[in-house]
Amino acid sequence: MPDKGVYLLVVPGFADWEPAHAVAELRRHGHYRVEVVGLSHTPVQSMGGITVQPTRSVPEVDPADVAVFIMPGGDRWETEPLEPELTALLRRLDRAAVPIAAICAATTVIARAGLTRGRRHTSNGLGYLQQQVPEYCDQAAYVEAPAVSDQHLITASGLADVEFAAAIMAELDVLSAEDRALWASMFRSGRLPDGAA
């Protein structure tokens, strides 16, 4: 079992389905423990109405214990200001070369924290990122792709939860490249490979 944990950030209204594949496969195939991080220890309700109990708060996160920090999307990222303690944590994680994975609206958090600079990244469209983050100026590094990995930063469109999970698994070397591709193909196509029971 790995020494470090998979840290999942949950905030009110987080998109519960977006990190689901990643967390399940990292736990099942990578044998990682999962830590649920909240802005506080108060239980959080997801967009789908699932109540989740954080095991850590943002100020309690020790970068030395984090294998990957996963940030799901949610409407909150488009309507609420970013907490300074979350920005500070993301920058600490980045300085420590801890992988950070953001999907859908959580990509706006990464851009606001300045972590897209000098890295290829994606989101829900370039126009979306420009509209949500007026100070965003990293268009030259924007990539139109379901998910993008660059220098320990993983970003994905909100329609790419499978590709997001596969990119995180690749970052942590969970499953072989061939098995990850097969896994992604099955979940994206909804079909088992020929000969599978």
Side-chain angles (χ1 to χ4, degrees):
M1 187 162 177
D3 293 335
K4 298 182 179 183
V6 168
Y7 279 61
L8 173 66
L9 181 67
V10 297
V11 297
F14 76 96
D16 41 29
W17 66 93
E18 290 176 344
H21 282 300
V23 172
E25 301 304 338
L26 292 173
R27 190 164 182 266
R28 183 166 69 137
H29 294 296
H31 309 290
Y32 283 93
R33 69 185 150 82
V34 176
E35 298 288 348
V36 180
V37 181
L39 299 173
S40 70
H41 285 277
T42 304
V44 173
Q45 190 173 74
S46 73
M47 195 179 288
I50 299 169
T51 300
V52 180
Q53 176 64 61
T55 55
R56 311 258 172 130
S57 66
V58 164
E60 295 170 337
V61 174
D62 175 5
D65 188 53
V66 183
V68 63
F69 192 80
I70 301 176
M71 302 176 61
D75 297 338
R76 180 186 197 282
W77 301 131
E78 298 172 353
T79 59
E80 301 287 332
L82 194 55
E83 288 76 11
E85 59 269 27
L86 179 56
T87 301
L89 172 61
L90 291 171
R91 290 175 178 162
R92 278 188 11 245
L93 292 167
D94 187 52
R95 282 193 302 272
V98 172
I100 298 171
I103 184 170
C104 196
T107 58
T108 67
V109 178
I110 297 302
R112 285 189 180 102
L115 302 185
T116 55
R117 292 191 191 112
R119 290 171 161 148
R120 292 177 309 112
H121 59 280
T122 195
S123 181
N124 293 335
L126 178 57
Y128 168 82
L129 210 48
Q130 291 170 321
Q131 179 183 15
Q132 293 297 323
V133 188
E135 67 274 21
Y136 172 78
C137 58
D138 302 308
Q139 300 90 327
Y142 188 86
V143 180
E144 284 290 352
V148 174
S149 297
D150 191 5
Q151 301 173 61
H152 306 300
L153 178 67
I154 299 161
T155 50
S157 155
L159 301 177
D161 58 319
V162 170
E163 293 83 357
F164 183 61
I168 296 171
M169 286 191 280
E171 179 74 27
L172 297 185
D173 201 27
V174 172
L175 298 179
S176 67
E178 182 180 281
D179 285 344
R180 284 192 304 268
L182 178 62
W183 176 88
S185 173
M186 287 189 304
F187 275 94
R188 187 46 74 205
S189 70
R191 296 178 51 121
L192 290 171
D194 291 339

